[in-house]
Each structure stands twice: as C-alpha cells, then as structure tokens.
Amino acid sequence: MAIECLVLGAGQEVGKSCVVATIAGKRVMFDCGMHMGYHDRRHYPDFARALAAWGALDFTSALSCVVITHFHLDHIGALPYFTEVCGYHGPIYMTYPTKALAPFMLEDYRKVTMDQRGEAEQYSYEDILRCMKKVIPLDLKQTVQVDKDLVIRAYYAGHVLGAAMIYAKAGDAAMVYTGDYNMTPDRHLGAAQIDRLKLDLLITESTYAKTIRDSKHAREREFLKAVHKCVSGGGKVLIPTFALGRAQELCMLLDDYWERMNLKIPIYFSAGLTIQANMYYKMLIGWTSQKIKDSHAVHNSFDFKHVCHFERSFINNPGPCVLFATPGMISGGFSLEAFKKWAPSEKNLITLPGYCVAGTVGHKLMSGKTTKIVLDKDTHIDVRCQIHQLAFSPHTDSKGIMDLTEFLSPKHVILVHGEKPQMAFLKERIESELGMPCFYPANNESVSIPTTHTLKMSTTERFITSCAAEQGKQSLRKRNLIHGTGASEVNGSDEAAAEGVLVMEKHKAPKILCEDELLQVLGMERHLVQFEAMGSSRIEAAVEWELKRAEAADLGSEENE
Amino acid sequence: MARDMCIKVRIEAFAALGKMQRVSEGVLLQSLSKKVIKTDTMSGCIINGQKLPPKLIIPCAAGIFAHGIEDEFYQVRSAACTSLGALAKFSSQYAEKALDLLMDMMNDDTEAVRLQTLQALFHMATYGYLSMQEKHMHMFLGLLVDANALIRNAARKILGLVNLPKLQMFKSAVDGLITSLEKNPEEQDIYGILFSIGKNHGSFSANVAKHLAKEIAMASDGELILDKPRIKALLIVSISAPFSDDKHKKLDIPSIIFSHAVPLLGKVSCALGEEVNQDSLLSYLCHKGGMPFWGSRSISAEFGESESCKIETVEVGNQIENTAKATKCLDRVLVMQAIESILQTVEGAWTMKTSCNICEAQTILRTCNKELKVLAENSSGSVGAFLSFLCEYLVAIRLIVEIWLLIQLDNSQAFGLTSHDILLEKLDISVRRMECCYAGLNRELEVQVLELALLANLLGLSKIGACSKVVLGKLLWVINRLEGLCADGSCELSDFSREIKKAFDANPGDTLIDNIHTLFEFFRLKPTTDFGMLKATSAVLQVCDNNSENPLSYICGLPVGVSFNISLWNISSHHRLWLRMSIGESVQHTFLEFSSFEGNEEVKTCSMVVPLDSTPMAHSFVLRVCLLMECSYGSISTNQGGHGGPSDCVVQLSDELDVYFVRIGQR
C-alpha cells in the first residue's frame, strides 16, 4: 500500500498551493490556491489534467474531500472556480475563522482584478457565496470522519488567524499537510502546536528553507524606535498594510508601546475592511495567542485603546499621527493617497512591508534612495520622508521546519511552497541530519510513498515480559548516552528486536509466543536427537520437532519485525 | 527539552539551564544564536567535566534562548530571561550578546516578563557583567519614563550601577533621569541614582559641572531657579564628582556649584545614605563653595542663647575631605564647640546671679541643661560621658543658685523638712553622682567636683546654722583631698578652697557660718572642657516578663524570687553594688556579688534571681527596685544603716523599676 501524492501547485514555487494525496484509495485535496503572479491559465492549478490522470468522470466522484488550511489567496483563491466552474460538489473543510474571513478575501481580490485589470471575471460574488455554503467548518483537534475510512483532524498552525495543519488518516496510512505555519509566536497568534503522531508522510511548506531568522524582538525594537522618533518630532507615520494579520500585529505592538510610554498621539485605521477584520478578531479570541486569551476577559486586546475614529479629511490635519492604510504595497487606494500627501516632508515616516511586488510604489521605495516617484506623466512625487523597512513574516524559518520535522519524525517528507534551490538545500539537511527520505516534486509531478502495513496480532504475557527484560538490559548498556526519543513501542526501529515464535493457524489470528511456550500450545512433547561422533568429541544438539499435525500451518521462528 | 510542546517542560528546562555550574563559552554563544556557529575552537566542549564530541552538543544548543524569549507563554519567557542573566557570569562575550536579547525583551507585552528581565539585568549589573552600549540607550531611556512605576524603579536601579563608556551616553542617561523626574516629581530617589551615576563617572560629571557652572554664571538672578528639577539634578550630579573613586585624576569642580548646592543639602545627604551626616556635609559644601561657615545658621537655632559661634571653616573643611573618619572628627569638633559656647553661657549666667537677676540666670541654666541633654543623647564614648557629666554639673549649679536664692531671701531658721532641705539633699546626690558615677576623672575635673562638694557642704552648714559634725567631717575630708591633689604643685588651690581652708583651720564651724556670704563670693565657676578618657558608669535593670498586665504571683508572707537581667557599664570590682527593693516604706537591700557578672571591661551582664524576703499581706503590690552603688566618703558614714544595707552613702545607678505582684488565686 502507498500514499500517492500529486502536486498540482506550489511545487518548487510559491503560490497556488494545491496537493492531492491518495491515502489508501481516498483522494484528499489539500488547499486550492491561485497564483498571484500569473494571469493566464497558470493562474489556477491544472485541474483538468489531474482529472484525466485519475481517469475519473468528475471531481466529485474522484475526490473524497477538499481541505483548506487558511484564508490566504494562494491557498483558497481557486476554490470558487473549482466548485462553481469545475463542478466539484463534495465536502469542503476549513476552520471557523477561515470560513468567516475567506469571503472578504475572495471578494476583495475579485473586485481588484475586475476594476483595475479589467479582466473577465472567472467567478462572481454569487459564486463565492454559493461556494462558501458548501463549506463544513472544523474546530481545532476535532476529529472528523469524512467517510468510513478517512479521518481528518486540524492542529493549530499560527501563521494567520484560523490557520491549521491537517492530519489525515485512511486505513493504516497517516500523513500531515502543514499548510503555512509559524513555529514562533507573535503578538496576536501562538506558535504551531501538534501532537506526537505516527506518520508515513509529512508535507511541509518551505518558504524559508535556507533562512534562519533572528529574534523578531530586534526588528520590533527598531520599528518602535523609528516610529517614536518620528512622532516625537511632530511627524506623521504611514503604515501601508494589508488589512488582516499584519495590521493587527503592528497595531498591538504600537498600542502596547503607547500605553507604556504614555503617548497621546492618535493612531488611525483608514479602511473599513480593517475595522471589520478587527471585529472578527475580537470574536475569534480562541484562535489567538495565549496572552490574548488570558487577558481578553479583562480587556480585549483588539479593542485598541489608542486607535481613534478616522475620516478621510484627517489626512490634511496638522500634528503627528500614525495611520494604517491599505493596500500594503502602495499600489493604489488610500495608502497611495496618503503617500502623495506625506512623502514630501522629511519629518514623516513610511514603513514598508518586507516584500513588495515589482511595479508598485512600495517596490520602488524599497529599491534604495528614491527621491522622485513618477506615477504618471502628470504626477511626480518628491520623496523626502524617511523610509523604514519592516519584515515581519508569519512563516517559520529553516530551523522551525527542522524542529517540526524532527518532532513528528515521519517516514517521508515532501517539501512544497518554496524556491527550488532552497528546497534542495533543505532536502539535503533533512536526509543527512534526520535520516528521512525527502522529495520536492515540481508541479503536476507525483510521488508515491510506500506505507508500513501494520498487522494486529495477539501475544502472550510471557513474551511481553521477556521483551521488556531484554530492553531493560539494552538500556542499561546504553545509559551513558543521551537519548532523545522516548521509545515506548517494542517495534521501535533502533531498538534491538526480540525473539519469538509466530504461530499462524488457519481461521485464527496470528499470535506471537515465547519459545518455551510453543510445545505447550501445540500440545506436543519435546524430542531430543543426539549425534554421536567418532572421535572423543561429542556434539549435542537440541531440536524442536514437530511434524504430525497435518493441518499445521507454517511454523517458523523469525524476528518479529 | 526547551522545544518541547508542553509548556511545563519548557519552563523547567529553562529554569534548569540557569542553574548550570560549568559550561563552555562556545555552547553559551551557540545557545543565543539559531545559526549553527562553525568554528574550530568548538572541538573541546566541556559539560560537567565530560568531554563530548561537538557534533552532539552544538546543534541541540542552537538558539535555545532565542526560542525561549520568543515563547508564547510568558512563564517560559521569564524563566528564559532569568537563566540568560544567570549564565552571564561565565563569559563576557556571552554577556554582551545576552544583553542584546534582554534589551529586546523590554518590549515584551507582559509586565511580569519585563520586570523579570530588569531583575536579570540588575543581577548582571551587580556582578559587573553589564556593559551598556550606545544602541541600548534609547530603550533604556524609554524605560525611565515607562508608565509603570515598578519598571521605572527597576530601570533606575540598574542605571545607578552600570558603567557608561561614553560621555554622550552619560549625558543622555542624566537627561533621561531628568525627564523622568519632571514627569514624576514624587520619585525622589532619582536624586540618589543621579548621585551614584555621577559618582561612578567622576570625569563625566566634572564635565557636566563645568557646563552647569557656565550656565549659572550666565543666568541672571531671575532665570535660574533652583527649584527646577533639571538644575537640581545637574547640581547633584556635579557635586557627586569628588566622591568618585578615580582619585588619581584631580577633578576641579567650580566652587559656584558647591555654593548653589547648599540648599539641596537634604537631597544630597539622602543620596549619600548613612555615611555622612548633614552637618558635616553642610560645612563641606560651604567650605568648597568658599563661603564662611556661619555656624549660627544651623547651630544657634539649636543651641538657644549661645552667642553665634564662628567655626573656622578652613580647619573644619580640611578635616573632613570625604573620609568617614574625618567626619567623626568633625562631629566631635562641632560638639566641643557647642559645649564651649554653652559653658561660656553658663559662666555668664553664674555671674548674673550676683546681679540679682537670679530668675533669668535660672532660665539660661535650664536651657543650657536641655541643650546638653540633646547633645548627650546623640553622642557616645567619652564625649557622651562628658556630656552627661556636664548635665549633672549644670544640675548642681542650678541647685546651688536656687539654694543661694533661698538663703538670701529668708535667713530665718525654719524647722522640719523644708524645700531648702530637699534642695540640699538633691545637691548632695548630684555631687555624689559626679564623684562616683564617672570613671577616669582627670585631675582638673576632680578638683572641679571637689570644689562643688565644698560649696555644697558650705551651703549645708548655712542651713543648719550650727556645726554639724558630719558636715564638718565631710568638709575636712574634701579639703584634704583637694590638698592632696594639688600637693605636687601641678595646680593651685583656688581662692575659694584656700579661704575655706583658712576659715576651717581658724575655727571650724562658727567662722565658716559667719563668713558664708564672703566665702560664697569667692567661688568661681571655671568649668573645664578637658575630659580625657572619661567613662560613665551606669546600669540597666530588667525583670523578665513582667508588667502591670502580667504580674508575678506570690503567696502572702512567704518569700518570692524575682529574676533580674542586669547590665553594667564601666563598673570595676572595687565598687560595691546593692539592689534596693522597696515596698512602700519597707526596704530591703541585697548585696550583689561582683563575681557573678560576666563580660568584658566595659559591659558586664548577669541574670540572677533575688529573693524578696517578706511579702505583704495584700492582694497585690508593686515592688520598686533600683541598683545602688556605694561611694565612700572617707571613713565618714553618713548613712544610718541598721537594716543590713550599705554603710556608706549611695548613688543610684539605674532608673527605678516597678515589679508587679499579685497573690496567687487573685488572677
């Protein structure tokens, strides 16, 4: 038996995450994302090709279920297309926050693509709503029986509100698909958390396969220092952000700092979306970090004390302030408007996110000492303000991936959602340091993973006792070495095997016995054969002997692996 | 373990890391950085003396603390911070990097973690592993104006200990403290911190002082207001410079600073703590400030009528130069000067008694006596003894003046116990105390006392009007002692004693009484201030577990034992000590065996059970106990013994103590 793993998207690239795993005959699609970089047919995963490969008539019959890990577009963007256009009508699973926030994301993106690029719409608002109606919400650590054999379970992943890692099991084969996750907590989300599982396969993201990030404290400190310096000098701070996640993270940081330093300068949110998102955050407290969970009874951390009501005209007000504006890359919208007004003053400050798409104002600002930005032939902006780059990434780094992989100790690892060279590097590390076979297939490639077939068999008490005694001796010998794994199973790979006799009889479950017990079970007597040699030496051999029973099945003495 | 999924395991893991006793620098550095450090020096990593191949250790130690301080749970974070600080003692390179991490923790969203971090920093600073760098200053100054008072306080404490390598940092630290002071004027301990910062960075504060001096000089009178926290703070920093440890550099602080710092006396002395007292500090500041030290400003306020006594500032200034010993010296000088001025006043008052203005003289004497008592309470050693001696002396003088007044007013012979008698008795006791209760009286003091005794006896004669044998005997004994003292010619008998001796020789009794007025006029008050190694003898008497609420019990008519704790000061074996226990009129004297006391020359203690022979037939009673010392007046026995008490006259050594008794069954 094997797990067949077809990578439809995010193979050796970042974007349009989509992996279909066939576990013991059950097909599960993990994520259904779109690629933001392309606007042709590479925009979506190649569903049609997959369907052909499976030899199925439609998606509904081919797939057991679709599981979405979180609401980012590269993980959910193709879902309305898949359900409404491709016609998948099977179950879709996602966590409660993802279900709540996904429509906003999809609708926001649909509007942007329609309004700005003038593209033909691939799905309508109604499609989104219809699609969301099919979604079955999941809770953390809730085990869902998709059908008779298939079981899925969600674990907390950090990353964004509602992000989950998915454990799937069918028959004896089990696997985990991580989605995006973060091993270090931030201000509003906790770190990824998972149980010790017995896995055949781990599919993990590898955005930062090679990077080891330093403590984010230093970056926070720099950020606060820059902002404080600017506002105390009477300047205005523009923080272009995306509405969800990063805005809340930064605002919590600032709100806390304001509180401590007793600052009275107003903080504004420009967009209605952010305010709406804040409302969802307030409701979904259970999915945030421990600190917020602990304190929300007293004070909801998303009730920002220092955030004031904002109106568009405030942009011309004198005096210092801090403004969160969308979109994050200053590609348009209100953040561009504010940028036009504030950039010419050297007192002001603009903090840029760590990554901006080429062609946006943000990207131009990041590229170095820009003094003039040409928007179109009539609009020139003198940039004299200070620029601060702030890279807060909600992805785990290389060490985090290694830590999680080591912790889960799967039999095989597949890397997705990363750049090819980095993935190759990480593969080497996983194989050499952890000794696990590792793959990083490209899009539309599939990997087949052999799974262990576990067989249930009964055993006698005597056998267990003798095994335990054997192990005790072993561990005594090894005591001077430090052992990381708490091996509780007899069949642990690095443990010495115990010896026993496997008895398989027809119509009976196989059973493991101790050597001494064999005769008793078979109801036989012990025969002894002696050989007499010519010389003075004498060889003795004791042989167990059994022949008689005609139906007696195979009888062998073997290692019980 | 530090990366375990269970929070409790992580907390314990970090707590255990902080307790490591031996660890190599390589592992420590690795624990801070997630990136695996590749160096050849890693080959010998030693943990618990066991040499382990580096491959085994390094990767698992990688970034342990980097993870720890980013943990989701504040308990883990604070445990990690504590351990970070605790391990700093092993390596300076590590300490430097750990400081970076700890500084970042100041932005943590949990107050407990921030406090714990400051605690760890304080720990590092106390052991001298904390070297502040410029990049940390912004964060630290932010902490000084934190909204939380606990955080501010902890940050300040650290700042008072650290070493700031650059003048710029020093200045910004001082500025930060000043801002903090302006925002929270109630936090007065900032001045103390400013002082210790200034002390730790002598040359920097000298620099600040120079600028401040310029500013003061530039400012016109109205502009520079001492009340402004900024000026106050800068002044404190400036004057702290001379207290700094780097003695090798001569720090010249402009004198104008010191003169301006005088009004801040209270704050400075608070900052200095217990080491220096305010008066000496004041005179030091005045001296440095080039101001004549007007003792009257502080002292005359204390010492009542005494004329303004100018103390030579130069002398005083030289004496203190910031050593504790010198400070004590100065104390003594100040006290002595106060004593001198008081005694001058007393002499003045004595001369006034002849000019009929006796009431006024009395008042002056009484005030002087009070002043001396105040001084005596605050002094110890021989100065203290001398002060208490002088108190006694003044009491005697006052009594003499009072008796003199009575004699002048009413020369008629009255019968029975009059106030005159009482005063005489009081005077007698006072003189006796002076004679007996001070060990190590030098000759001058002894002469002084004996003359008083002479005068007292003379006055005694005046009352009785006829020659009392006892009094005459005493007189003779005193005269002989005086003569004996002056026999070697080192000092002369005063006119007073000589005249008395003459009169006594001529006709003991009548001549004296007749000439009492003239003789009295001969008496000159010449108190000396030379006291040598004077020691006061005294005793403290205590009864265990007894007060009016909690009385001892007894059975009527049967003896009862009372256990005392007795401490004696400066009493030697030739003294005879008695315990006097009195119930109403009945008195019982018990002799105390000197050998039962234990201790050194100065202090001897003993706890003993003294039986009270007879108890009254009453429900309850109060026993009054005091410790007496016999003092021999030659061979003249003045005390009518008869009940087994001391044969000579006695002085009371301790205060009278009340012991409460109640009959058994009455409780």
Side-chain angles (χ1 to χ4, degrees), chain B residues 178-323:
Chain B
I178 292 169
T179 337
S180 167
L181 190 62
E182 278 163 351
K183 281 194 179 164
N184 312 287
E186 74 283 358
E187 288 177 350
Q188 292 294 318
D189 67 311
I190 294 177
Y191 289 113
I193 302 293
L194 278 166
F195 192 87
S196 55
I197 291 190
K199 205 169 85 179
N200 292 344
H201 308 86
S203 47
F204 292 160
S205 34
N207 183 301
V208 168
K210 247 175 251 166
H211 286 285
L212 183 65
K214 248 182 242 165
E215 195 180 331
I216 292 174
M218 298 254 282
S220 57
D221 292 337
E223 275 179 69
L224 184 101
I225 305 161
L226 263 181
D227 228 26
K228 267 194 217 154
R230 194 183 91 84
I231 303 296
K232 271 199 256 182
L234 288 178
L235 277 171
I236 298 259
V237 172
S238 307
I239 59 160
S240 66
F243 292 85
S244 74
D245 297 331
D246 36 36
K247 283 275 188 290
H248 52 93
K249 269 185 257 168
K250 267 284 166 215
L251 303 163
D252 48 330
I253 309 295
S255 61
I256 194 164
I257 296 286
F258 288 98
S259 53
H260 277 78
V262 173
L264 299 173
L265 184 66
K267 297 215 167 67
V268 178
S269 67
C270 267
L272 278 170
E274 297 295 307
E275 295 164 35
V276 186
N277 83 352
Q278 280 203 10
D279 289 339
S280 52
L281 191 68
L282 172 66
S283 61
Y284 170 71
L285 289 176
C286 291
H287 162 57
K288 285 289 200 176
M291 281 199 285
F293 180 40
W294 291 96
S296 54
R297 208 188 67 74
S298 66
I299 293 179
S300 67
E302 264 180 33
F303 299 143
E305 285 85 353
S306 61
E307 283 291 294
S308 63
C309 46
K310 291 181 191 173
I311 297 173
E312 290 300 313
T313 48
V314 182
E315 272 178 45
V316 177
N318 285 344
Q319 272 171 346
I320 43 167
E321 276 305 335
N322 66 31
T323 68

Side-chain angles (χ1 to χ4, degrees), chain B residues 158-169:
Chain B
I158 295 166
L159 208 53
L161 286 172
V162 293
N163 190 35
L164 302 166
K166 285 185 189 160
L167 177 64
Q168 198 52 46
M169 288 166 70

